[in-house]
Amino acid sequence: MSAYSIDDVATLTGVSKHALRYYEREGLLAEVPKAPNGHRRYSEDDLGWVRFLQLLRATGMPIREMKAFVDLTHAGEHTIADRVEVLAHYREALVTRMAADREHLERLNAKLDYYRGVLAAADAVPEDITGYVRTDRART
């Protein structure tokens, strides 16, 4: 079993050391064992929990609901249906946000295409527009 320092976990997950200590204090993470020097030593399981907590936060789940979810997990397998319900709720909200984001992206792309077209037209010469290159121009 690997043991990671708080610096290692912060680097591997992108979660600050302050947030890791906060998660432990709030019961989102189990109490992390400490080495004889008093430094936290995170396990692979702890690392997995940190990553799962990141996922929950990324769905928009507030800390208090994350805590309730962790409590359900610690309560035992009889809470699996409740956990499914919580995760399904956040999944649906995420799907809705993703659909809205796709629509926003399409509208933004259309506006960018328009503005780029305006810029291209401003810099255009007649040949760019007509496709016809005059060969009878007087050369100077």
Side-chain angles (χ1 to χ4, degrees), residues 7-138:
D7 289 322
D8 295 336
V9 175
T11 299
L12 289 167
T13 64
V15 175
S16 72
K17 293 186 289 186
H18 174 77
L20 290 167
R21 290 184 196 103
Y22 174 78
Y23 285 176
E24 187 179 344
R25 211 172 34 253
E26 291 299 313
L28 292 167
L29 284 175
E31 187 175 336
V32 177
K34 295 183 180 169
N37 64 5
H39 295 177
R40 288 170 170 81
R41 302 309 295 168
Y42 292 83
S43 68
E44 289 288 337
D45 284 345
D46 296 323
L47 199 56
W49 267 105
V50 171
R51 289 183 172 137
F52 183 66
L53 294 172
Q54 284 180 289
L55 169 68
L56 295 180
R57 285 296 289 156
T59 68
M61 186 181 288
I63 294 288
R64 72 179 178 286
E65 289 184 40
M66 289 170 59
K67 173 73 172 113
F69 187 87
V70 169
D71 289 345
L72 285 173
T73 302
H74 292 305
E77 293 202 11
H78 69 280
T79 66
I80 288 177
D82 295 326
R83 289 183 259 168
V84 167
E85 185 177 330
V86 169
L87 294 178
H89 167 76
Y90 280 94
R91 181 191 181 282
E92 184 58 37
L94 184 59
V95 167
T96 300
R97 271 198 327 270
M98 288 170 63
D101 284 347
R102 271 191 300 278
E103 181 181 335
H104 297 153
L105 180 60
E106 289 171 11
R107 292 171 66 192
L108 187 61
N109 283 339
K111 189 57 82 174
L112 281 167
D113 289 345
Y114 169 77
Y115 285 133
R116 287 177 177 144
V118 168
L119 289 173
D123 293 337
V125 294
E127 291 84 9
D128 292 334
I129 297 168
T130 64
Y132 174 73
V133 178
R134 290 181 52 182
T135 57
D136 62 337
R137 286 191 187 172

